Amino acid sequence: MGEKRIGVCNLCEAICGLELTIEGRDVVGVRGNPADPLSRGHICPKGVAIADVYADPDRLRRPVRRVGEGTDARWQEIGWDEAFDLVADNLARVINEHGDDALGVYLGNPNAHSLGSMTHGTAMFKSFRTKNRYSATSVDQLPHQLVAHLVFGHQLFLPIPDIDRTSWFLVVGGNPMASNGSLMTVPDFPQRVRDLRARGGRMVVLDPRRTETAKVADEHHFVRPGTDAWVLLAMLHVLTAEASPDDVPTVASYVDGLDTVVELVAEFTPERAEAVSGLPAAEIRRLARELAAADSGVVYSRIGVSAGPWGTVCQWAVTCLNVLTGNLDRPGGAMFTTPAIDAVGTGLIGRGHHDAWRSRVRGLPETAGELPVAALREEIETPGEGQVRALLTVAGNPVLSTPDGARLDRAMRGLDFMAAVDIYVNETTRHADVILPPTTALERDHYDLVFHLLAVRNTARFTPAVFEKEPDQRHDWQVFREITLRTAARLDRKAPLKKRLVQRARLTASPTFLIGQLLRRGSSGVTLAKLRRRPAGVDLGPLRGGQLPDRLPARSKRVDLAPALVVQDVARLASVPAPAGDELVLIGRRDQRDCNSWMHNSERLTRGRPRHQLLMNPGDLAQRAIQNGSRVRVTSRVGSVEVEVAASDDLMPGVVSLPHGYGHAGDGVLMSRSRDVPGVSVNDLTDPELLDVSGNAALNGVPVAVTPA
Ligand SMILES: Nc1nc2c(c(=O)[nH]1)N[C@H]1C(S)=C(S)[C@@H](COP(=O)(O)OP(=O)(O)OC[C@H]3O[C@@H](n4cnc5c(=O)[nH]c(N)nc54)[C@H](O)[C@@H]3O)O[C@H]1N2
Ligand SMILES: Nc1nc2c(c(=O)[nH]1)N[C@H]1C(S)=C(S)[C@@H](COP(=O)(O)OP(=O)(O)OC[C@H]3O[C@@H](n4cnc5c(=O)[nH]c(N)nc54)[C@H](O)[C@@H]3O)O[C@H]1N2
Ligand code: SF4
Ligand SMILES: [Mo]
């Protein structure tokens, strides 16, 4: 029969509650937990596969050390103590010999999904005084964070679509039917959309592909990749320049910069947007007016736009649309969460800053202490003071996930030393001298410090580990503690004793202990004891409106709609020649069963029809005399790959699409099953020179040529 346990899925931002059935140390059943107040029983195919990560024989369970090079590389298991010393000796050696900046650090996506990473990993990250800090943020949501910082005064004070109450929902460059939502924790998106439509609401999607989300929407329009900025600015133009005297928008008394917005959008007419984007001017006008007239409405944009050439301008325009239509901070609009642990209000996560320093080689600005990851390769390869000679990666795979990954892969071979905290030998960690594998989701306590902050409903939940860890395993927070303390002890330049003692004490407290403290500090009335009694989670109600200006993180308590950086970039947009529109451009895509570059080791997620193909409009295929199903060569400025092509009417003419996270390497990689998954890495085509003003990589809208292979 087995024993029932409450678990939580950490594989995407939806943070679904799970009900597991276990027998001894085996998971024999996984289903969604119907008692969970946020996820309400929802689960997707990946949630079931969480058991596969736990059981995977290819997963590392003990530290390994690389012996030999390239194809001759072997992995030798070593003890934890030896592994920690090896890492600390080498990191400290490089820092002592070459300075703080000689150490590069990269944090990947699963860090946001681990409590220990949030409490102890960030402390380790900060303890290194290097400028060479990187993360997946700059191939993802950096524009959202930068705009939130500039407009509201905190990088993570992000308004969330109130999907459960809105009557008009515009989705720009997101596909939550496949991704389950992002910067919008929205478990069971399909049901919430059905509910929205059942109460008479509408969902409109702008996307160069007729996606799964487009197919359940009331309306879908193609937009040429990289041109959303013109469309969103034209919507603002309609609301301001074309408004009748009765309809001129007014804004709340705590909002500054409306006049500047009106000036900036004056020349961005719907006709100009049509010429660039392909979306008819009449439709742009209608959409803007529908949003303004709706009882409540919200515009939401995601990675198709934030990882594009104008991510920051787009995200700013989305914010302006929500503000100018009166939908910010009100039910059915773009709202702010009130989580039991408010990582923003308490200052647990810093406000952020921008351009306090720049990258050594290309002079790219930092944001919130991180440099754009598109610069990592050149910082490793370019000799001179401040060159990255040692690298520490944590839960990431930048070789497959960042632009021109192939060249980053080659650059990594030139490092003096590399260490990785990861549960697999992947395309990136294969270059490490040492890999330290922590426990996985089912073996550690969890409280979500990040995604309650971004959720469509306020809830709190503490999930104790389903399985106790084995004595010879380490939690990630323990790994971070050891790396931090042992490295610090070996540095020539030591921090003052008092500081070191405080650091040691902080790193020695467990994440669960810290959560207990943080909950007590909050005003929600939720305690750890209460959460332990109600493992399904506690409902704290729908999102609350009317919180501004009191809760604004900005010291001025004002919203600034006209930050200088954005004003300048809109001016740049006004002066660039409109994209020609006659070349093919490449965009990304996600499938419900994919999980960035990992989970391809799970049999249940990879069997069935392959989904790695280049999707292309049949007209574009015919024009090039390419057969559906044949192999084609896709070439960009930086690289070239060979892959099968599949004809699809869902693609806008002139646009091709490849999923990211494919193209698994053989050499030195231990993930046996992934190697048999066909496909190429889209990031062998994406271009590290194509960046948004924030430094985020423009992974979407990359010019390519497609020819028969
Ligand atoms: N072209 C293109 N590129 C993209 C994107 C795109 O849309 N198009 N999307 C971008 C986005 S949004 C993101 S977030 C990035 C993701 O990019 P990355 O974060 O660099 O890569 P992931 O594929 O998420 O790799 C996660 C790694 O963490 C490991 N891991 C899993 N769980 C744990 C754990 O609990 N602890 C530790 N220590 N390790 C763990 C896995 O084994 C895996 O190796 O990719 C980006 N790249
Ligand atoms: N199944 C699954 N779920 C995931 C992940 C995964 O790998 N697999 N990754 C997780 C992560 S790390 C993240 S950040 C989120 C991302 O969540 P989403 O942002 O929802 O990610 P995508 O599904 O890639 O959706 C991006 C959409 O943008 C469209 N697009 C591309 N270029 C443009 C453009 O120029 N303009 C417009 N308007 N649209 C464009 C694409 O066609 C695509 O439909 O998903 C998370 N959830
Ligand atoms: S939707 Fe996301 S959190 Fe929910 S089960 Fe699927 S992968 Fe896990
Ligand atoms: Mo992401």
Side-chain angles (χ1 to χ4, degrees):
M1 260 315 287
E3 206 182 316
K4 299 274 187 250
R5 291 290 173 79
I6 302 291
V8 54
C9 180
N10 72 335
L11 296 173
C12 87
E13 299 180 35
I15 61 170
C16 296
L18 304 178
E19 196 185 272
L20 299 132
T21 311
I22 61 169
E23 281 175 10
R25 290 197 74 95
D26 296 326
V27 180
V28 295
V30 185
R31 59 173 210 140
N33 181 10
D36 189 292
L38 182 64
S39 65
R40 312 180 304 196
H42 180 70
I43 186 165
C44 81
K46 280 198 293 184
V48 182
I50 200 157
D52 301 345
V53 178
Y54 174 69
D56 190 351
D58 282 349
R59 176 164 65 82
L60 297 176
R61 284 160 173 81
R62 275 167 215 87
V64 290
R65 169 184 197 158
R66 183 163 47 81
V67 198
E69 288 298 323
T71 37
D72 296 329
R74 284 186 307 110
W75 295 97
Q76 186 184 63
E77 278 192 5
I78 55 174
W80 281 101
D81 217 38
E82 186 185 348
F84 289 138
D85 280 342
L86 200 59
V87 173
D89 281 345
N90 282 287
L91 297 188
R93 172 181 59 79
V94 169
I95 295 171
N96 288 338
E97 282 172 19
H98 303 285
D100 289 316
D101 295 337
L103 170 64
V105 191
Y106 174 84
L107 299 189
N109 168 276
N111 284 294
H113 298 272
S114 160
L115 173 60
S117 269
M118 293 317 297
T119 56
H120 292 65
T122 39
M124 175 185 77
F125 202 43
K126 280 189 200 140
S127 78
F128 300 126
R129 298 174 19 157
T130 174
K131 293 195 179 88
N132 282 302
R133 292 192 218 152
Y134 303 88
S135 81
T137 290
S138 50
V139 280
D140 189 347
Q141 80 287 1
L142 181 56
H144 288 78
Q145 289 184 217
L146 182 58
V147 168
H149 163 69
L150 296 172
V151 172
F152 302 120
H154 193 292
Q155 55 172 334
L156 283 185
F157 195 64
L158 297 167
I160 309 303
D162 186 16
I163 185 173
D164 291 340
R165 285 179 291 185
T166 196
S167 49
W168 201 89
F169 185 31
L170 176 62
V171 177
V172 188
N175 185 13
M177 286 295 284
S179 69
N180 296 297
S182 181
L183 302 186
M184 169 175 67
T185 284
V186 58
D188 205 1
F189 181 80
Q191 185 57 44
R192 291 180 203 262
V193 171
R194 280 194 292 273
D195 292 346
L196 180 151
R197 298 185 62 196
R199 61 175 187 264
R202 289 175 74 73
M203 179 166 78
V204 180
V205 173
L206 304 185
D207 198 301
R209 182 166 75 92
R210 193 177 303 111
T211 60
E212 295 80 353
T213 305
K215 286 175 186 169
V216 299
D218 297 274
E219 266 181 56
H220 162 248
H221 302 276
F222 284 137
V223 177
R224 205 171 147 71
T227 67
D228 303 82
W230 282 271
V231 174
L232 295 164
L233 294 177
M235 286 178 72
L236 286 167
H237 173 96
V238 174
L239 295 179
T240 54
E242 298 183 9
S244 67
D246 296 342
D247 289 333
V248 174
T250 51
V251 291
S253 58
Y254 53 81
V255 176
D256 292 327
L258 177 62
D259 294 347
T260 311
V261 177
V262 174
E263 264 168 55
L264 286 174
V265 303
E267 58 181 296
F268 287 92
T269 61
E271 282 67 24
R272 190 168 163 193
E274 172 176 343
V276 179
S277 70
L279 180 59
E283 296 290 337
I284 296 174
R285 288 201 167 86
R286 182 179 56 80
L287 290 176
R289 289 177 184 144
E290 275 188 23
L291 167 64
D295 290 340
S296 65
V298 58
V299 185
Y300 162 76
S301 80
R302 212 34 209 104
I303 199 166
V305 176
S306 63
W310 301 98
T312 297
V313 170
C314 286
Q315 192 45 36
W316 168 81
V318 164
T319 307
C320 290
L321 282 168
N322 289 328
V323 172
L324 265 60
T325 54
N327 282 303
L328 185 76
D329 191 33
R330 81 156 184 201
M335 302 187 73
F336 297 97
T337 57
T338 41
I341 298 177
D342 179 8
V344 169
T346 55
L348 205 62
I349 300 173
R351 296 162 179 279
H353 40 77
H354 181 71
D355 206 8
W357 64 82
R358 293 192 171 200
S359 71
R360 177 180 62 110
V361 179
R362 225 192 305 174
L364 297 172
E366 63 76 41
T367 305
E370 292 180 21
L371 291 169
V373 70
L376 175 57
R377 190 274 308 156
E378 69 220 21
E379 295 297 334
I380 297 174
E381 279 183 346
T382 314
E385 183 148 349
Q387 178 183 10
V388 172
R389 292 160 189 271
L391 183 67
L392 172 65
T393 66
V394 183
N397 192 4
V399 167
L400 289 195
S401 60
T402 69
D404 202 1
R407 188 151 171 207
L408 179 62
D409 184 60
R410 290 196 294 277
M412 282 179 175
R413 290 180 203 155
L415 288 164
D416 264 14
F417 179 77
M418 178 172 159
V421 182
D422 205 292
I423 54 177
Y424 286 106
V425 184
N426 64 25
E427 293 69 21
T428 300
T429 62
R430 66 174 161 160
H431 296 296
D433 296 281
V434 192
I435 307 177
L436 305 150
T439 52
T440 56
L442 298 184
E443 302 159 299
R444 61 194 187 210
D445 296 352
H446 189 65
Y447 179 95
D448 220 298
L449 281 174
V450 178
F451 297 107
H452 287 310
L453 199 66
L454 306 175
V456 297
R457 191 175 179 88
N458 293 311
T459 61
R461 180 183 58 200
F462 176 76
T463 316
V466 174
F467 297 109
E468 210 173 311
K469 75 171 178 62
E470 307 275 0
D472 66 345
Q473 285 185 293
R474 296 290 179 276
H475 293 304
D476 53 6
W477 67 273
Q478 296 172 313
V479 173
F480 302 136
R481 178 189 63 198
E482 291 307 311
I483 295 177
T484 312
L485 297 179
R486 292 190 199 207
T487 306
R490 287 162 170 80
L491 292 181
D492 293 340
R493 200 202 40 232
K494 291 208 173 28
L497 180 65
K498 192 171 161 215
K499 212 174 150 191
R500 276 183 287 150
L501 290 174
V502 170
Q503 184 184 51
R504 175 171 292 274
R506 250 217 81 202
L507 288 170
T508 302
S510 76
T512 303
F513 175 81
L514 295 172
I515 288 301
Q517 282 194 321
L518 288 166
L519 282 169
R520 247 177 285 136
R521 261 207 261 156
S523 56
S524 66
V526 174
T527 60
L528 190 57
K530 183 169 174 187
L531 293 182
R532 282 189 190 277
R533 283 196 301 274
R534 295 170 59 183
V538 173
D539 190 18
L540 302 173
L543 303 184
R544 278 181 243 156
Q547 300 191 69
L548 303 191
D550 287 0
R551 268 197 72 206
L552 275 175
R555 291 190 183 86
S556 60
K557 293 282 170 203
R558 302 192 65 77
V559 170
D560 179 9
L561 286 187
L565 180 100
V566 176
V567 173
Q568 280 159 24
D569 216 41
V570 175
R572 187 172 66 97
L573 180 74
S575 69
V576 295
D582 53 2
E583 57 191 348
L584 274 183
V585 288
L586 172 69
I587 61 169
R589 77 173 181 269
R590 282 174 164 75
D591 181 276
Q592 205 195 23
R593 286 162 301 164
D594 284 325
C595 192
N596 294 323
S597 78
W598 62 298
M599 298 293 288
H600 282 155
N601 239 24
S602 164
E603 209 263 315
R604 78 181 95 209
L605 293 181
T606 48
R607 70 180 160 219
R609 274 201 306 166
R611 49 181 192 262
H612 63 281
Q613 296 95 333
L614 180 82
L615 299 185
M616 190 163 178
N617 184 281
D620 289 327
L621 281 175
Q623 216 178 58
R624 291 167 181 76
I626 296 172
Q627 291 292 315
N628 183 17
S630 67
R631 283 181 75 78
V632 292
R633 176 154 292 280
V634 190
T635 308
S636 71
R637 186 190 72 86
V638 302
S640 172
V641 298
E642 230 185 87
V643 66
E644 292 82 39
V645 68
S648 170
D649 277 325
D650 292 336
L651 266 284
M652 183 179 188
V655 181
V656 292
S657 148
L658 272 177
H660 74 288
Y662 283 77
H664 296 291
D667 287 10
V669 176
L670 282 183
M671 293 156 45
S672 50
R673 197 186 156 76
S674 307
R675 286 201 300 261
D676 302 328
V677 173
V680 293
S681 177
V682 66
N683 288 318
D684 291 348
L685 297 168
T686 55
D687 187 340
E689 300 286 331
L690 299 178
L691 300 178
D692 171 54
V693 68
S694 61
N696 203 87
L699 304 167
N700 293 296
V702 177
V704 290
V706 178
T707 51

